C-alpha cells in the first residue's frame, strides 16, 4: 500500500530541482546572440520559487543545478577545439559559485524584503567568481546579457554590479509579488507592507533604469575621429591557426593595403587611426625583420598610426601578448602588454597535474606573463584606451583606461580558436555594456569573429561577418566626461556585498533564535 504514495512523492521531489535547472537554462537563453534579454526576469522568478524557504543543503544543491543549466550551454565554446573535458571541468568549478549563492539565497529567503538580500547575494557570487581562482572568470555576469535590454542605462550609473543586481531584484520581486498575491487570495487578508515591498522590488529597478537614461549619450564632446578596424581573417579554424602565423600577418597587411587603395580612390574616408586585432602578428616584429617590414609597409601605405597585436618572444622569461603603437614614419613607438593573461589559454597553472587530464596543455609550451601598465595610446591626438580581448570581462580593465584619459576604447581580440560559436557574440555584448558603462565609443577589431564599431550608447554602428576579410571605417564621437559608474569604480559592488553580508548575518541570527525557541518550547 506504500508503493503508490512513494511513486507520486518522487516526481514531486523532482519539481524544484527541475525548476532550478530550468531557471539556469532561461538565464542562458537571455544571452546573445539571442535578443531575449527579458528571459532573465522569469529565470530569477523561477529560481526564487525553487529556493524560497529551503534549507541550506537544498539551497546549495538547487543553486548548483541552476549553475549547470546556465553555464554548461553558455560556455560550450570553451571545448570547441580541446574537447569536452576542459569545458565540463570549467562548468563544474564555476557552478560552485552559483551553488554558494543558492545556499545564501535560501538562508535570506525567510527575511522581510528578502528579494533585496537575494539579489545582493547574486551580485556577491558574481564578484567572487570574477576574482577566484587564478584571477577569476567573470564571463556570464548577468549584466552581459542585457546589452539590448531595458535595464542597460544602469551600467552608466553603477557598472555591471548594479545592472546585474537590478535584473535579479526585479526577477525575485516578480516571484514574491505573485506569491504574496496568492497567499492573500487564499487567506483573504494580508498586511499590505510585504506586498508593497514586493511591488517596490519590481518597480524601483525599472524606475531607476528610466531615471538613468540621461546618462546615456553618443554626442561628441571632443570632436570625432575616423577609425579603421581591420579584420584580416585566418587561414583555417582551430588551435592550429597559430602555425600559419605568417599567413595571418600577411592577411592583415593585405587588407590594410586594400583599404589604402580604397582611400586613395575616394571609396573610403582617410582614417585618423587604424586598429589591428590581437595576434594579428604572432611573429615578433622586434626579432623578425621580415615581419617588421610587412607591418611597416602596410602602415606606411595607410599613412595613419596603427595598433598591431603581436606576440613578443624575449630570450628569457615569459612571452608577452602585446599591442604595439606603430607610427607610419617612426615604426614602433609604444607598447601595451595584456595585464590579465588567460589561465589554461595563455599560461598553464599546475601544468604537471593538468597534463594528466588533457594533453593539449603542451600546446602552450611557454607561458605568457602579465603586463603592469594601463594602456592608453595617443594616436594622432586621440587618446585610445586598450583592453585586450578577455580583459573586457573584467570591470577594472576598461575603467582604468578611461580614468587614465581615454576618449575611445579599443578591444583588439582573437576568437579564431573558438570557431563559429556564440563566443564572439557574447564578447561583443560585453563591449556594448562597457560602452554605456563608461560613455565611450568602443572599437573591436577581431582576427576572424565579428569586428564592430560600437557607439557610446551601446548601439552597433558597423559590424563584419565571421571569417571574412574586411575593414570597417567609421567616424566615432570622442568623449571625456566620466559617468557615475566610472567615478565610483568598485564602490557600488562593495555596498552590495555589504547588503549581502548583512542579510546573511541576519538570517544566521534568526536561525539560531528559531532553534533556541524550538529547544525551549
Amino acid at each position: 500500500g506504500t508503493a503508490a504514495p512513494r511513486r507520486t512523492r518522487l516526481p514531486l521531489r523532482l519539481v524544484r530541482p527541475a525548476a532550478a535547472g530550468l531557471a539556469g537554462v532561461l538565464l542562458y537563453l537571455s544571452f546573445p546572440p539571442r535578443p531575449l534579454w527579458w528571459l532573465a526576469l522569469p529565470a530569477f522568478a523561477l529560481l526564487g520559487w525553487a529556493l524560497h524557504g529551503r534549507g541550506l543543503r537544498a539551497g546549495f544543491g538547487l543553486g548548483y543545478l541552476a549553475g549547470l543549466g546556465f553555464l554548461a550551454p553558455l560556455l560550450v565554446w570553451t571545448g570547441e577545439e580541446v574537447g569536452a573535458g576542459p569545458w565540463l571541468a570549467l562548468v563544474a568549478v564555476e557552478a560552485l559559485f552559483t551553488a554558494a549563492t543558492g545556499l545564501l539565497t535560501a538562508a535570506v529567503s525567510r527575511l522581510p524584503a528578502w528579494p533585496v538580500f537575494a539579489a545582493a547575494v547574486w551580485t556577491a557570487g558574481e564578484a567572487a567568481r570574477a576574482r577566484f581562482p587564478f584571477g577569476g572568470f567573470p564571463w556570464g555576469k548577468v549584466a552581459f546579457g542585457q546589452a539590448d535590454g531595458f535595464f542597460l542605462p544602469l551600467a552608466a550609473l553603477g557598472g555591471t554590479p548594479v545592472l546585474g543586481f537590478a535584473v535579479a531584484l526585479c526577477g525575485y520581486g516578480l516571484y514574491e509579488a505573485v506569491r504574496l498575491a496568492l497567499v492573500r487570495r487564499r487567506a483573504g487578508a494580508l498586511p499590505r507592507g510585504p506586498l508593497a515591498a514586493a511591488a517596490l522590488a519590481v518597480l524601483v529597478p525599472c524606475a531607476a533604469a528610466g531615471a538613468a537614461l540621461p546618462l546615456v549619450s553618443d554626442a561628441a564632446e571632443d570632436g570625432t575621429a575616423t577609425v579603421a578596424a581591420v579584420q584580416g581573417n585566418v587561414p583555417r579554424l582551430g588551435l592550429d591557426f597559430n602555425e600559419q602565423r605568417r599567413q595571418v600577418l600577411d592577411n592583415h597587411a593585405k587588407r590594410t593595403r586594400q583599404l589604402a587603395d580604397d582611400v586613395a580612390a575616394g571609396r573610403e574616408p582617410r582614417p585618423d587611426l587604424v586598429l589591428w586585432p590581437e595576434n594579428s602578428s604572432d611573429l615578433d616584429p622586434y626579432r623578425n625583420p621580415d615581419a617588421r617590414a610587412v607591418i611597416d609597409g602596410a602602415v606606411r601605405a595607410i599613412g595613419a598610426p596603427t595598433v598591431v597585436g603581436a606576440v613578443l618572444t624575449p630570450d628569457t622569461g615569459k612571452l608577452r601578448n602585446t599591442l604595439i603603437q606603430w607610427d607610419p614614419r617612426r615604426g614602433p613607438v609604444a607598447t601595451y602588454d595584456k595585464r590579465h593573461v588567460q589561465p589554461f589559454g595563455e599560461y598553464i597553472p599546475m601544468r604537471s597535474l593538468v597534463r594528466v587530464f588533457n594533453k593539449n596543455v603542451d600546446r602552450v609550451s611557454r607561458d605568457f606573463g602579465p603586463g603592469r601598465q594601463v594602456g592608453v595610446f595617443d594616436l594622432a591626438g586621440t587618446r585610445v584606451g586598450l583592453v585586450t580581448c578577455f580583459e573586457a570581462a573584467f570591470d577594472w580593465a576598461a575603467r582604468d583606461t578611461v580614468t587614465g584619459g581615454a576618449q575611445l576604447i579599443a578591444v583588439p581580440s582573437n576568437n579564431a580558436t573558438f570557431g563559429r560559436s556564440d563566443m564572439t557574440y557574447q564578447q561583443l555584448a560585453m563591449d556594448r555594456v562597457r560602452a554605456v558603462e563608461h560613455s565611450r565609443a568602443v572599437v573591436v577589431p577581431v582576427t576572424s569573429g565579428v569586428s564592430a564599431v560600437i557607439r557610446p550608447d551601446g548601439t552597433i554602428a558597423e559590424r563584419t561577418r565571421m571569417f571574412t576579410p574586411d575593414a570597417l571605417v567609421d567616424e566615432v564621437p570622442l568623449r571625456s566626461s566620466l559617468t557615475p559608474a566610472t567615478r565610483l569604480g568598485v564602490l557600488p559592488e562593495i555596498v552590495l556585498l555589504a547588503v549581502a553580508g548583512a542579510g546573511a548575518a541576519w538570517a544566521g541570527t534568526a536561525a539560531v533564535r528559531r532553534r533556541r525557541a524550538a529547544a525551549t518550547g
Side-chain angles (χ1 to χ4, degrees):
T2 60
R6 192 173 293 137
R7 276 200 300 272
T8 55
R9 232 179 3 250
L10 185 61
L12 286 174
R13 290 179 63 185
L14 294 177
V15 171
R16 284 186 190 269
L22 178 58
V25 171
L26 288 175
L27 195 54
Y28 156 68
L29 291 173
S30 74
F31 274 68
R34 294 160 297 278
L36 304 176
W37 60 270
W38 51 269
L39 280 178
L41 301 181
F44 279 105
L46 193 58
L47 185 61
W49 176 80
L51 293 171
H52 188 264
R54 298 292 94 190
L56 299 186
R57 266 190 307 185
F60 185 88
L62 293 168
Y64 197 72
L65 289 173
L68 294 178
F70 172 42
L71 295 170
L74 186 84
L75 302 177
V76 68
W77 50 266
T78 59
E80 185 82 12
E81 294 295 334
V82 294
W87 159 53
L88 294 174
L90 175 65
V91 169
V93 170
E94 295 298 321
L96 289 171
F97 291 96
T98 319
T101 298
L103 182 151
L104 288 173
T105 301
V108 302
S109 67
R110 292 181 173 87
L111 299 176
W114 70 266
V116 175
F117 296 111
V121 161
W122 183 272
T123 305
E126 288 190 335
R129 193 160 70 83
R131 290 167 173 83
F132 310 102
F134 311 118
F137 188 75
W139 210 280
K141 289 176 86 169
V142 168
F144 297 146
Q146 298 295 308
D148 288 305
F150 171 77
F151 296 99
L152 181 61
L154 290 171
L157 185 65
T160 61
V162 168
L163 174 52
F165 170 79
V167 173
L169 176 60
C170 199
Y172 286 139
L174 278 171
Y175 162 66
E176 180 67 352
V178 171
R179 185 184 77 82
L180 291 175
L182 291 175
V183 167
R184 185 175 187 178
R185 187 175 174 184
R186 283 196 301 268
L190 183 79
R192 289 181 182 169
L195 196 54
L200 285 173
V202 178
L203 295 174
V204 169
C206 295
L213 262 175
L215 298 174
V216 181
S217 171
D218 69 347
E221 294 175 334
D222 305 323
T224 62
T226 301
V227 181
V230 176
Q231 176 173 304
N233 204 15
V234 296
R236 62 169 179 259
L237 311 191
L239 295 175
D240 294 330
F241 87 95
N242 276 336
E243 293 172 12
Q244 300 188 51
R245 293 177 296 180
R246 178 54 193 269
Q247 184 62 54
V248 174
L249 171 57
D250 286 345
N251 285 357
H252 286 85
K254 178 183 176 183
R255 192 62 192 81
T256 304
R257 288 178 178 277
Q258 286 177 357
L259 176 60
D261 291 341
D262 289 340
V263 169
R267 292 186 292 269
E268 290 281 9
R270 180 171 297 281
D272 298 312
L273 57 109
V274 179
L275 302 171
W276 284 15
E278 176 191 33
N279 299 128
S280 45
S281 176
D282 277 350
L283 292 167
D284 184 342
Y286 294 101
R287 300 174 67 89
N288 292 272
D290 56 337
R292 183 177 182 127
V294 169
I295 297 169
D296 211 44
V299 175
R300 285 175 184 273
I302 195 63
T306 301
V307 175
V308 176
V311 172
L312 302 191
T313 56
D315 288 331
T316 58
K318 296 180 177 178
L319 302 175
R320 288 286 185 270
N321 186 341
T322 300
L323 299 175
I324 304 172
Q325 178 180 344
W326 207 287
D327 186 85
R329 291 181 299 278
R330 295 179 292 156
V333 294
T335 59
Y336 166 68
D337 293 337
K338 187 177 184 180
R339 290 180 289 162
H340 195 297
V341 292
Q342 190 175 347
F344 305 104
E346 292 173 305
Y347 76 99
I348 307 295
M350 307 178 298
R351 184 181 286 269
S352 56
L353 176 64
V354 175
R355 187 182 290 112
V356 174
F357 299 98
N358 197 297
K359 297 293 189 291
N360 277 303
V361 298
D362 291 324
R363 288 178 178 271
V364 185
S365 57
R366 186 176 173 187
D367 286 344
F368 283 78
R372 294 282 179 262
Q373 300 299 315
V374 178
V376 181
F377 287 169
D378 186 327
L379 302 174
T382 298
R383 292 181 61 78
V384 178
L386 304 167
V387 181
T388 307
C389 196
F390 180 58
E391 289 183 320
F394 295 87
D395 291 344
W396 52 264
R399 179 177 180 268
D400 281 357
T401 70
V402 176
T403 56
Q407 301 163 298
L408 162 74
I409 298 172
V411 188
S413 303
N414 173 25
N415 302 333
T417 48
F418 304 113
R420 298 183 180 276
S421 70
D422 288 353
M423 184 270 189
T424 190
Y425 300 108
Q426 292 170 10
Q427 189 175 39
L428 189 60
M430 284 181 200
D431 298 330
R432 293 177 63 194
V433 173
R434 297 299 181 208
V436 172
E437 182 179 18
H438 300 295
S439 197
R440 295 292 185 273
V442 177
V443 184
V444 190
V446 183
T447 47
S448 55
V450 178
S451 299
V453 177
I454 303 165
R455 299 187 74 79
D457 61 2
T459 57
I460 297 176
E462 290 196 56
R463 62 191 293 172
T464 65
R465 294 196 303 274
M466 274 196 186
F467 297 99
T468 306
D470 207 346
L472 303 177
V473 184
D474 201 56
E475 186 179 6
V476 298
L478 303 178
R479 295 177 61 84
S480 54
S481 62
L482 301 182
T483 63
T486 310
R487 293 179 188 277
L488 292 171
V490 76
L491 186 60
E493 189 173 54
I494 291 172
V495 170
L496 292 172
L497 290 176
V499 172
W506 187 4
T509 304
V512 170
R513 282 181 186 152
R514 281 195 301 271
R515 280 197 295 271
R516 283 178 181 165
T520 56

